[in-house]
Amino acid sequence: MNAYLVVREGTKWRDVYRLTPGQAMTVGRAPTNRIVLNDEVCSRHHCEVFPVGDDWFVRDLKSRNGTLLNEEPIERDQQLAPGQIIRIGSCELAYTLDLSQAFPQLEEGSRPEIETGTVWDAASRNRKTNEPTIIHRKGENRFARAKPEQVGRDRTSRELAQLYRLALDMGSATTAKQLAEVVLGGLTSGPNADVAAIFMLPKPLEPDEPPGALALLASKTPPRMSYQPVSDSLSLGVLRSREAVLARDSGDDSGLVGLSPAGGATIDPALMAHDVICAPIRHGTRLYGLVHLYSSVEDRALEPEDLEFALAIAEQYAVVIDGLRRRDTLADGLVRARNENTLLREQLEIESELVGDSEPMRRLKNRIGLIGPTDATVLIRGESGVGKELVARAIHLNSRRKSGPFVCMNCAALSESLLESELFGHEKGSFTGAVGRKLGRFEQAHKGTLMLDEVGEMSLAIQAKFLRVLEGHPFERVGGGAPVQVDVRVVAATNRDLEKAVESGEFRKDLYFRLQVVELMIEPLRMRKDDLPALANFFLEKFVRKTGRPLRGYTPDAMEKLCGYDWPGNVRELQNTIERAVILSQGELVEPADLQLSQLGIAEAQRAERAAGLPHLMLCSLEELEQQHILQILEHTQWNKTHAAQILGIERSTLDRKLKRYQVGRPGERGDDL
């Protein structure tokens, strides 16, 4: 019948050992024992369990603190009965013939989960699966919470001093290679190990994440020898448990570790290592890799103290790695942010380029070059859609404030109360819905430029407060009493006739003169049609990049159509028209049919032609005049009937009926086929 010893340390169940008939089982702190206990109360060779016939007895080996059997001291050899518990310090060993009956006094669910892989063969000190024998585990090292009054002048003191020197050396390492060499030197500084290696995971491992493949970062071996890794099962077990282990080589085909001469010569069995330490490189919840440590000399046994020291070095190494990675991540993020900021500014400057080389545009660019470097208040005037915000941004980018914020606000979009809050900010509770302090646009634009569009739409009350800020006085947030001082350059824009507004009392005269330090007038697009081809090509390239359409230009007729249109919506209308054409176009060139123009501009162009006396008197009937007009529109649209119907202001079906009545069609078509 099989007999077992089930080991419990503190509150954790550890291992199950099968007792082999005819062989004694020794227990103690020394790694040469069959069962190794890490307890200060336990002697190096504490007790043994031995067979007599079919029975098993326990004997105390003159230990310092004695051995208890069912809480009674053992004075002589005593026979074991199933269910009895051998106690050594805080460790318990239960003797049982049935694993399901071990520790019967425990409640259901608190017993250890016993699997085949955790049963040890006492004869060979191996698992039955030929996996490495775990003779000691450690979740944390004794140095982590060591206090000065608890440290004596023994090995612990020496190792603490060594860890301190090692920390200084780690801090002075400037590269990952230097850091690894320092760690390897610390691992092999003791008398019992001369082989060490560092393995790293591809990325830090969080709890419950599956471990990735380990990669050898660095290793250290005696001269003329190459490193041989420990078994994968041992490494995988440490990755999963995150506990450092002291394991023993089985000496059989499991091949735990071994050293071979450099050059791939046959492994000498005398060089096989017997004890191996595998410790996790962990910091907080993150696991970075493993350290392996063993000896190339057969009679050098590693001890639990070596395990704790290796774990302390590994955790210290993890702290340095974590700091380096955080520093590198921060540095990379800073570089990316700078690059993105530079790219955004470059894109912003590209978007802010004033396109065109007409005489009005050259005068405008020249004045911007003169005005930009100053801090003068600028009033930009022009029709809606001419690009007043673009000119304001160009002024900002040509000023000493270009590295500061550029804030834009439309004064016509808000009521008087909301406009005041947006401009000057408000305090918490100043009005319904003010759940917190809000900075106004003036504060947001501090050290930069504030562009106020449609400034002529401000109420007189807001104009008075705005004037004080322009004159350099501090202001108060809505609902607040503390003065706020800002350094802001103001660029105002309007399409309103401010002179008439001043005469009618709708705009303050003093504010008018305060804004009109420098005035820029932007000509409407119809007054600078020489810029149309350049603007059309600029917008085409912009939207081709945005949409990925394979367009490369305009047909001559399409460009002629663009240049012949009056553009009442100015540059904004041109931009929208080109974007629509890029979306709808199906060829490589923009066709006239792709350009859908507003009836407003066409009607204005026709009125201009009539005012100039361009049309001549035609002596014909209304029906003939209508027919000629329809044919001219169809020729203009290259017989795109849908577009022609839009220009004529009729339905497509009505156009078809008229063409059928006139019996006309596109050249090459029969009228009765329409």
Side-chain angles (χ1 to χ4, degrees):
M1 181 177 295
N2 291 327
Y4 303 91
L5 284 178
V6 183
V7 182
R8 177 189 183 190
E9 286 185 330
T11 59
K12 294 184 64 176
W13 304 104
R14 207 179 75 176
D15 294 315
V16 178
Y17 290 86
R18 180 183 290 112
L19 300 178
T20 304
Q23 295 189 19
M25 172 76 75
T26 58
V27 182
R29 281 194 303 114
T32 54
N33 291 286
R34 302 294 188 185
I35 300 179
V36 180
L37 301 180
N38 182 33
D39 194 307
E40 296 298 330
V41 176
C42 183
S43 300
R44 290 182 61 82
H45 301 283
H46 198 97
C47 68
E48 67 174 349
V49 177
F50 59 94
V52 177
D54 293 334
D55 299 321
W56 288 88
F57 288 75
V58 60
R59 173 187 299 156
D60 183 74
L61 299 178
K62 298 181 181 180
S63 63
R64 184 175 66 240
N65 296 299
T67 306
L68 302 179
L69 180 63
N70 281 0
E71 305 302 328
E72 295 292 333
I74 297 176
E75 304 291 343
R76 54 182 175 79
D77 297 351
Q78 291 195 21
Q79 184 177 353
L80 293 172
Q84 287 186 319
I85 296 178
I86 303 169
R87 179 184 294 278
I88 303 173
S90 62
C91 300
E92 296 178 349
L93 295 87
Y95 173 77
T96 183
L97 302 178
D98 184 355
L99 290 177
S100 64
Q101 299 300 317
F103 297 93
Q105 74 276 21
L106 296 176
E107 297 180 0
E108 188 66 28
S110 62
R111 297 175 185 168
E113 294 184 3
I114 300 172
E115 300 177 357
T116 304
T118 60
V119 180
W120 307 97
D121 185 350
S124 62
R125 294 181 294 184
N126 284 337
R127 290 184 181 181
K128 286 300 182 182
T129 55
N130 285 331
E131 293 183 356
T133 303
I134 309 299
I135 59 178
H136 198 78
R137 292 182 181 272
K138 201 65 182 175
E140 66 177 39
N141 65 83
R142 68 179 182 277
F143 308 102
R145 297 186 176 90
K147 298 180 180 179
E149 61 270 17
Q150 297 174 334
V151 177
R153 300 186 180 280
D154 53 2
R155 175 174 176 170
T156 301
S157 299
R158 296 192 304 271
E159 290 178 340
L160 275 173
Q162 189 174 352
L163 284 173
Y164 174 73
R165 291 192 299 270
L166 189 62
L168 295 178
D169 293 339
M170 286 185 185
S172 62
T174 57
T175 64
K177 183 178 180 181
Q178 291 179 355
L179 181 62
E181 290 175 352
V182 171
V183 173
L184 292 174
L187 289 170
T188 57
S189 60
N192 297 328
D194 58 357
V195 180
I198 300 174
F199 287 83
M200 300 301 292
L201 292 163
K203 68 180 185 66
L205 193 67
E206 296 289 351
D208 302 326
E209 282 187 337
L214 288 166
L216 178 64
L217 176 64
S219 63
K220 182 179 181 181
T221 61
R224 298 185 301 279
M225 293 191 181
S226 61
Y227 174 74
Q228 298 295 319
V230 304
S231 65
D232 292 339
S233 60
L234 181 63
S235 298
L236 186 60
V238 173
L239 288 176
R240 288 174 175 169
S241 68
R242 297 181 176 232
E243 289 184 330
V245 299
L246 171 60
R248 177 166 294 120
D249 184 8
S250 64
D252 58 13
D253 59 354
S254 65
L256 176 59
V257 295
L259 287 173
S260 65
T266 304
I267 298 176
D268 184 354
L271 298 177
M272 295 295 290
H274 287 271
D275 293 340
V276 177
I277 288 174
C278 185
I281 303 172
R282 66 192 184 189
H283 178 66
T285 61
R286 291 176 169 236
L287 184 64
Y288 291 95
L290 302 175
V291 296
H292 293 163
L293 184 66
Y294 55 86
S295 174
S296 63
V297 181
E298 184 177 7
D299 59 354
R300 289 185 185 174
L302 296 176
E303 299 180 353
E305 289 81 1
D306 298 315
L307 177 64
E308 286 189 284
F309 185 64
L311 179 58
I313 293 178
E315 292 183 340
Q316 190 168 295
Y317 178 44
V319 172
V320 179
I321 291 177
D322 187 74
L324 290 176
R325 293 202 176 192
R326 289 178 184 273
R327 183 195 67 185
D328 293 342
T329 301
L330 183 62
D332 291 343
L334 185 60
V335 170
R336 285 197 300 271
R338 286 176 177 172
N339 292 338
E340 290 175 0
N341 186 45
T342 301
L343 180 61
L344 287 173
R345 286 192 175 276
E346 290 175 352
Q347 292 177 348
L348 187 61
E349 291 178 7
I350 291 173
E351 292 293 324
S352 300
E353 289 181 353
L354 298 176
V355 179
D357 196 38
S358 63
E359 182 59 31
M361 185 57 64
R362 285 198 297 269
R363 288 198 304 268
L364 180 62
K365 292 178 180 179
N366 183 56
R367 297 203 66 183
I368 290 174
L370 296 173
I371 296 169
T374 71
D375 271 348
T377 303
V378 182
L379 177 62
I380 304 174
R381 309 182 75 165
E383 296 180 3
S384 178
V386 293
K388 294 187 288 293
E389 182 179 342
L390 198 65
V391 172
R393 195 181 297 274
I395 293 172
H396 172 72
L397 293 175
N398 281 275
S399 70
R400 293 180 286 105
R401 299 172 178 265
K402 64 181 299 184
S403 59
F406 176 80
V407 180
C408 183
M409 180 179 175
N410 190 327
C411 299
L414 300 171
S415 63
E416 179 179 335
S417 58
L418 289 178
L419 179 59
E420 182 179 9
S421 173
E422 285 293 320
L423 283 175
F424 307 110
H426 62 251
E427 298 289 350
K428 180 179 179 181
S430 57
F431 54 85
T432 303
V435 295
R437 171 184 286 183
K438 178 181 178 181
L439 300 183
R441 299 301 175 93
F442 272 101
E443 290 181 82
Q444 295 173 23
H446 184 59
K447 297 295 183 181
T449 303
L450 174 62
M451 190 264 186
L452 297 176
D453 197 7
E454 303 297 346
V455 71
E457 305 303 321
M458 282 186 180
S459 66
L460 291 174
I462 302 297
Q463 290 177 31
K465 194 170 183 179
F466 178 39
L467 177 61
R468 284 187 55 81
V469 179
L470 283 180
E471 291 176 343
H473 297 286
F475 61 89
E476 298 174 357
R477 301 186 190 96
V478 177
V484 179
Q485 185 74 51
V486 293
D487 176 16
V488 174
R489 179 183 191 176
V490 173
V491 177
T494 184
N495 59 4
R496 188 177 181 185
D497 190 337
L498 292 183
E499 289 77 13
K500 289 185 178 180
V502 170
E503 292 175 1
S504 62
E506 297 176 356
F507 199 82
R508 293 176 62 102
K509 183 184 293 185
D510 47 2
L511 178 58
Y512 169 78
F513 289 115
R514 186 66 184 82
L515 289 176
Q516 204 182 27
V517 177
V518 179
E519 183 176 289
L520 287 178
M521 176 62 72
I522 306 177
E523 299 286 350
L525 186 56
R526 62 180 177 274
M527 303 298 293
R528 49 186 181 94
K529 286 195 174 182
D530 290 345
D531 293 333
L532 259 170
L535 284 167
N537 288 318
F538 174 80
F539 289 131
L540 180 68
E541 292 176 5
K542 173 183 176 181
F543 293 120
V544 164
R545 288 195 305 269
K546 183 177 179 180
T547 62
R549 295 296 178 89
L551 289 170
R552 54 184 179 85
Y554 302 86
T555 64
D557 291 341
M559 184 59 71
E560 181 181 353
K561 184 175 180 179
L562 289 174
C563 294
Y565 184 65
D566 209 29
W567 301 109
N570 290 295
V571 180
R572 182 185 294 121
E573 183 185 6
L574 174 64
Q575 177 177 336
N576 295 339
T577 300
I578 301 304
E579 183 177 10
R580 182 167 54 247
V582 170
I583 294 172
L584 298 178
S585 179
Q586 298 180 355
E588 293 185 352
L589 297 174
V590 176
E591 302 283 347
D594 300 325
L595 300 171
Q596 299 181 11
L597 304 178
S598 169
Q599 291 294 315
L600 179 62
I602 294 175
E604 289 185 358
Q606 290 174 346
R607 286 197 297 271
E609 288 180 356
R610 286 195 296 270
L614 294 178
H616 59 278
L617 181 63
M618 297 181 64
L619 301 176
C620 61
S621 65
L622 287 176
E623 183 176 356
E624 292 175 336
L625 182 61
E626 181 186 56
Q627 179 179 340
Q628 292 181 20
H629 181 61
I630 290 175
L631 290 176
Q632 288 176 354
I633 296 299
L634 286 170
E635 290 294 335
H636 177 72
T637 61
Q638 296 185 342
W639 281 80
N640 185 320
K641 295 180 181 179
T642 300
H643 191 194
Q646 292 176 349
I647 296 175
L648 293 169
I650 60 177
E651 297 291 334
R652 163 70 186 267
S653 57
T654 303
L655 177 61
D656 288 335
R657 286 197 301 271
K658 289 181 178 292
L659 293 175
K660 189 173 183 179
R661 185 174 73 246
Y662 299 146
Q663 295 185 353
V664 296
R666 191 170 187 172
E669 296 179 352
R670 290 173 51 195
D672 55 1
D673 292 335
L674 296 176

